[in-house]
């Protein structure tokens, strides 16, 4: 089955073609970073309009790269939510309309399920069951994964997600948008142990996350210290280490609670090198395995939507003719795929 994947949940237009037998055939991505940079964050209306401009040319490119015609497709998968509703509806309308015109099935994909399954695109995918750490700008959650659609959310962010805290702290430090990667780059120049930041909510058994207080602690530290490059690098280092340590502590608890020996990490923040190194070391000490998507599939992309959609289409699931987006959509409400 050849499936076209469409991702438009926020500020990146991702298109890909996945073949259930041959694997990923093509993927292309357009980022709106430059468009939103002047505003210091994503402007929803501008994001939606840019998706409208870019989506059809990108679909044509993905098909050309896969050496396929539109008529060669067997299904279409698109992000149905969660995300910016205007942006989501652009991909949903285009995807559902194309499927209708071609007489092929369509499926709306949960954005975070796409991220969760992104490591399955690698040569050595994780086997079920496993614990998944989904960590991005909008979400931070730990999930017990027994199969596709068999999800139990063990803990999630009660306020700012980790990626959101990275971006907001970067903005407090005067770093350009997108701030998270820039803060991580600055942190690489900092010295360890110059500042001691709290590890939020690690003093209680809960697997939930809270990073708004850590952001406030960083803001107070920034205001109280000299405004020079070295000091900012040291503060960035302390902030990043606090986030990484917090995520590691919670992952270790989740693994102990479930008894699983496999950990999957996905989402934009999963590209962070300090986090990857820390979790690799953790899983080595626990005699377990850790799985990541390649860096280009950590952020939003069409490949993960194409893969997730293919699995659901193969199981017989399809979308009706109604075009609907879900800006909020609990992950644990998804239908399980029978194995």
């Amino acid at each position: 089955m050849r499936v076209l994947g469409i991702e438009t949940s926020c500020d990146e237009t991702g298109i890909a073609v996945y073949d259930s037998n041959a694997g990923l055939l093509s993927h292309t991505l357009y980022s709106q970073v430059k468009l939103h940079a002047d505003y210091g964050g994503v402007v929803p209306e501008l994001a939606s309009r840019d998706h409208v401009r870019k989506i059809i040319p990108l679909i044509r490119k993905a098909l050309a790269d896969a050496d396929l015609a539109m008529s060669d497709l067997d299904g279409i998968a698109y992000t149905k939510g969660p995300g910016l509703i205007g942006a989501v509806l652009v991909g949903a309308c285009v995807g559902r309309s194309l499927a209708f015109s071609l007489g092929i099935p369509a499926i709306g994909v949960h954005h975070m399920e796409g991220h969760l399954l992104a490591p399955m695109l690698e040569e050595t995918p994780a086997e079920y069951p496993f614990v998944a750490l989904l960590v991005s700008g909008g979400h931070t959650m730990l999930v017990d994964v027994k199969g596709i659609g068999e999800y139990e959310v063990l803990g999630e962010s009660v306020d700012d997600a980790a990626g959101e805290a990275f971006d907001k702290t970067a903005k407090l430090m005067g770093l350009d948008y997108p701030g998270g990667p820039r803060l991580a780059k600055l942190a690489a120049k900092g010295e360890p142990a110059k500042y001691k930041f709290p590890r939020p909510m690690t003093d209680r058994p809960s697997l939930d996350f809270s990073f708004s207080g850590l952001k406030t602690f960083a803001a107070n530290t920034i205001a109280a210290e000299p405004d020079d490059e070295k000091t900012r690098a040291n503060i960035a280092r302390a902030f990043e280490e606090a986030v990484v340590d917090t995520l590691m502590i919670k992952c270790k608890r989740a693994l102990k609670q479930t008894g699983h020996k496999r950990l999957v990490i996905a989402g934009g923040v999963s590209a962070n090198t300090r986090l990857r190194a820390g979790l690799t070391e953790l899983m080595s000490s626990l005699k377990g395995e850790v799985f990541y998507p390649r860096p280009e599939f950590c952020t939003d992309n069409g490949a993960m939507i194409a893969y997730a959609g293919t699995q659901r289409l193969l199981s017989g699931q399809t979308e009706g003719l109604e075009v609907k987006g879900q800006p909020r959509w609990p992950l644990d409400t998804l239908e399980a795929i029978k194995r």
Side-chain angles (χ1 to χ4, degrees):
M1 176 177 250
R2 292 168 175 168
V3 176
L4 178 74
I6 300 174
E7 155 60 20
T8 63
S9 65
C10 190
D11 61 342
E12 286 163 320
T13 313
I15 309 294
V17 180
Y18 185 84
D19 187 304
S20 57
N21 293 319
L24 187 64
L25 301 182
S26 70
H27 67 96
T28 184
L29 182 75
Y30 172 76
S31 174
Q32 300 176 0
V33 166
K34 291 182 180 179
L35 175 66
H36 301 288
D38 290 342
Y39 305 95
V42 178
V43 181
E45 179 64 22
L46 294 181
S48 302
R49 292 178 181 181
D50 217 35
H51 285 308
V52 171
R53 284 190 287 266
K54 300 297 183 181
I55 191 168
I56 297 302
L58 287 173
I59 288 174
R60 288 172 176 157
K61 184 180 187 307
L63 287 169
D65 290 347
D67 196 24
L68 296 175
M70 195 77 75
S71 58
D72 294 321
L73 295 173
D74 301 303
I76 294 180
Y78 55 85
T79 299
K80 186 177 178 179
L84 302 176
I85 188 60
V88 166
L89 284 174
V90 173
C93 287
V94 171
R96 192 64 197 85
S97 299
L98 280 176
F100 177 75
S101 67
L102 294 168
I104 58 178
I107 187 73
V109 174
H110 192 293
H111 178 72
M112 294 312 294
E113 179 173 65
H115 276 303
L116 189 154
L117 297 176
M120 301 303 183
L121 292 163
E122 304 304 320
E123 289 186 7
T124 308
E127 295 181 6
Y128 302 104
F130 55 78
V131 168
L133 171 66
L134 302 180
V135 57
S136 66
H139 300 83
T140 302
M141 62 175 70
L142 282 163
V143 187
D144 183 357
V145 181
K146 296 182 174 64
I148 299 177
E150 297 181 74
Y151 309 134
E152 179 187 354
V153 177
L154 303 172
E156 57 190 328
S157 49
V158 297
D159 42 52
D160 289 356
E164 185 180 5
F166 262 101
D167 287 340
K168 288 181 177 179
T169 301
K171 192 171 185 178
L172 290 170
M173 301 181 76
L175 299 176
D176 292 336
Y177 174 84
R182 297 180 190 276
L183 187 147
K185 186 175 181 180
L186 180 62
K189 303 176 183 178
E191 299 178 38
K194 282 292 183 179
Y195 296 94
K196 180 65 175 178
F197 278 34
R199 276 54 175 166
M201 293 185 72
T202 58
D203 59 346
R204 62 198 74 177
S206 168
L207 290 174
D208 287 334
F209 300 91
S210 170
F211 292 106
S212 63
L214 184 62
K215 176 197 63 183
T216 302
F217 191 95
N220 293 336
T221 306
I222 292 166
E225 297 297 318
D227 185 18
D228 59 71
E229 182 75 9
K230 190 60 180 176
T231 300
R232 288 193 300 146
N234 290 337
I235 293 173
R237 175 70 177 262
F239 174 83
E240 184 183 53
E241 288 181 343
V243 173
V244 169
D245 283 354
T246 300
L247 293 173
M248 288 176 57
I249 290 168
K250 298 285 187 173
C251 283
K252 186 175 182 179
R253 288 180 183 174
L255 290 162
K256 183 178 180 180
Q257 180 175 312
T258 60
H260 299 332
K261 289 293 185 179
R262 288 179 288 271
L263 175 68
V264 162
I265 172 174
V269 183
S270 69
N272 182 280
T273 54
R274 195 177 304 280
L275 178 60
R276 288 194 174 214
L279 289 176
T280 298
E281 184 178 345
L282 171 66
M283 295 310 293
S284 177
S285 69
L286 296 176
K287 294 181 172 53
E289 298 177 278
V290 62
F291 301 85
Y292 310 94
R294 69 195 77 167
E296 62 193 298
F297 293 157
C298 289
T299 53
D300 296 349
N301 63 88
M304 67 184 193
I305 301 303
Y307 176 84
T310 299
Q311 308 314 307
R312 292 197 170 274
L313 287 169
L314 286 172
S315 74
Q317 295 182 28
T318 60
E319 203 76 31
L321 290 177
E322 179 185 14
V323 177
K324 184 179 180 182
Q326 292 187 228
R328 298 184 183 278
W329 190 2
L331 183 66
D332 53 9
T333 63
L334 296 181
E335 183 179 344
I337 291 179
K338 295 178 181 180
R339 289 175 286 171

